[in-house]
Amino acid sequence: MNKILKIQEEILNLIYPQTCGICGKIYPKSICNKCEIRLRKQLEINIIKEGQEIEDKYFNELMYIFKYEGEVRKLILDYKFNNKSYIYLTFVNFLLKNEKIFENIKKYDKIITVPISKKRLKTRGYNQSYLIAKEIAKRTNLELVNNCLIKTKNIVEQSKLNKEERKQNIQGVYELKNKKLVKNKKILLIDDIYTTGSTVNECSKILSQGEPTEIGVLVLAKD
C-alpha cells in the first residue's frame, strides 16, 4: 500500500509540481531558498501578553510573525483572495520554524479558527485560517476543533470598514456550539491578519462563554 501511495504522489508531482509560494518557480519545498532569505529579513516575531497592547480584550495574548506591509501584505492578499491556497505551507513553515512561537503554541490544548460564512466559503473555496490551523495541528499535539465556533451571518468584509464600523459590523455574527469542547481548556484562536482586533476579540468573547482557562490568538501579520 505504501508503494502505491508513493507512486501516486510521484505522478501528482509530475503533473502538479511543487512550486515556491512566492515566486512561483518549481521547487521541492513550499518556498525557495532565495525567497525564504528575503522574507526572513522581514520577520517581526512578537508575543504580546495581556496588559500590554491588549487591554480590555477577551483573549490573553497575541502572537504574530510579520508586520502587515509591503511584500508580506501582497502575499497574504494573494493567499486570501487570489486562489493561491497553497501559500499556507509557506506561512506555516515560518511559524513553526521559530522556536519562540513553536514552544508557546504547544502550551495550548485545542485550535479553533475564525470561521467564515457558508456563502464566502463557497465563493472562495477554502477558509484561509483553517488551512493554516490544520497544518499546525498535524505537526503538533493540538486538537483542531471545527464544529464549535460558527459564523451565522454573511457580513461586509472588515477590510472595507473603519475601526468603529468594524466593531459594529462583527457583533452578533458568531455562535458557540458544543461548549463542553472548550470548557477548562487552553484555546488557540487562529486568524490571518490583526488590524483593529475586532474580529478575534468578538470570537474570543463568544468562546469565553464556554469557560476556557485561556485564549490565545495567533495571526500571520499585525497591521
Side-chain angles (χ1 to χ4, degrees), residues 58 110-115 145-153 170 172-185 187 189 202-213 215:
Y58 288 91
K110 299 187 178 186
I111 301 177
I112 293 175
T113 58
V114 170
V145 180
N146 195 36
N147 58 345
C148 185
L149 188 63
I150 308 297
K151 191 170 188 179
T152 58
K153 299 177 183 178
I170 206 69
V173 303
Y174 298 109
E175 180 181 331
L176 181 63
K177 295 186 176 181
N178 301 317
K179 292 183 180 181
K180 62 182 180 181
L181 293 176
V182 302
K183 188 175 178 64
N184 298 325
K185 299 295 182 181
I187 303 299
L189 178 67
E202 182 67 18
C203 287
S204 297
K205 177 183 176 182
I206 301 303
L207 285 172
S208 66
Q209 296 172 3
E211 301 180 357
T213 57
I215 300 174

Side-chain angles (χ1 to χ4, degrees), residues 84-217:
K84 294 186 178 182
S85 60
Y86 56 86
I87 296 177
Y88 81 93
L89 281 174
T90 300
F91 288 131
V92 172
N93 285 336
F94 271 104
L95 279 168
L96 298 186
K97 277 184 178 180
N98 181 267
E99 186 176 350
K100 182 180 179 182
I101 294 290
F102 182 67
E103 290 302 318
N104 204 53
I105 286 174
K106 289 196 299 184
K107 75 181 181 183
Y108 289 94
D109 300 309
K110 299 187 178 186
I111 301 177
I112 293 175
T113 58
V114 170
I116 60 177
S117 66
K118 291 180 179 179
K119 182 179 179 181
R120 190 150 295 154
L121 180 61
K122 186 177 180 180
T123 302
R124 188 176 298 166
Y126 56 92
N127 178 342
Q128 71 281 356
S129 299
Y130 177 78
L131 293 181
I132 292 169
K134 185 178 179 180
E135 188 68 19
I136 290 175
K138 189 167 75 173
R139 299 194 199 182
T140 63
N141 292 323
L142 277 69
E143 178 187 353
L144 177 58
V145 180
N146 195 36
N147 58 345
C148 185
L149 188 63
I150 308 297
K151 191 170 188 179
T152 58
K153 299 177 183 178
N154 189 42
I155 57 174
V156 177
E157 289 181 14
Q158 291 285 83
S159 59
K160 297 179 179 179
L161 306 174
N162 62 38
K163 185 175 181 179
E164 289 304 316
E165 288 172 336
R166 290 182 186 214
K167 288 181 181 179
Q168 296 297 322
N169 188 51
I170 206 69
Q171 289 181 9
V173 303
Y174 298 109
E175 180 181 331
L176 181 63
K177 295 186 176 181
N178 301 317
K179 292 183 180 181
K180 62 182 180 181
L181 293 176
V182 302
K183 188 175 178 64
N184 298 325
K185 299 295 182 181
K186 292 182 178 181
I187 303 299
L188 180 63
L189 178 67
I190 293 183
D191 200 7
D192 50 1
I193 309 160
Y194 184 103
T195 304
T196 64
S198 297
T199 299
V200 292
N201 195 49
E202 182 67 18
C203 287
S204 297
K205 177 183 176 182
I206 301 303
L207 285 172
S208 66
Q209 296 172 3
E211 301 180 357
T213 57
E214 185 176 343
I215 300 174
V217 173

Side-chain angles (χ1 to χ4, degrees), residues 39 41-46 48 53 62-82 87 91 124 128 132 157-161 166 191-197 219-223:
L39 266 191
K41 292 177 181 179
Q42 299 177 52
L43 282 172
E44 190 168 323
I45 295 141
N46 212 332
I48 303 173
E53 297 178 35
L62 170 68
M63 294 175 274
Y64 63 92
I65 58 171
F66 292 110
K67 290 293 289 181
Y68 187 55
E69 59 189 18
E71 187 175 22
V72 170
R73 183 178 184 276
K74 181 182 181 303
L75 190 61
I76 292 176
L77 290 176
D78 276 345
Y79 171 55
K80 192 171 180 177
F81 298 113
N82 294 331
I87 296 177
F91 288 131
R124 188 176 298 166
Q128 71 281 356
I132 292 169
E157 289 181 14
Q158 291 285 83
S159 59
K160 297 179 179 179
L161 306 174
R166 290 182 186 214
D191 200 7
D192 50 1
I193 309 160
Y194 184 103
T195 304
T196 64
V219 297
L220 300 175
K222 183 178 182 295
D223 202 350

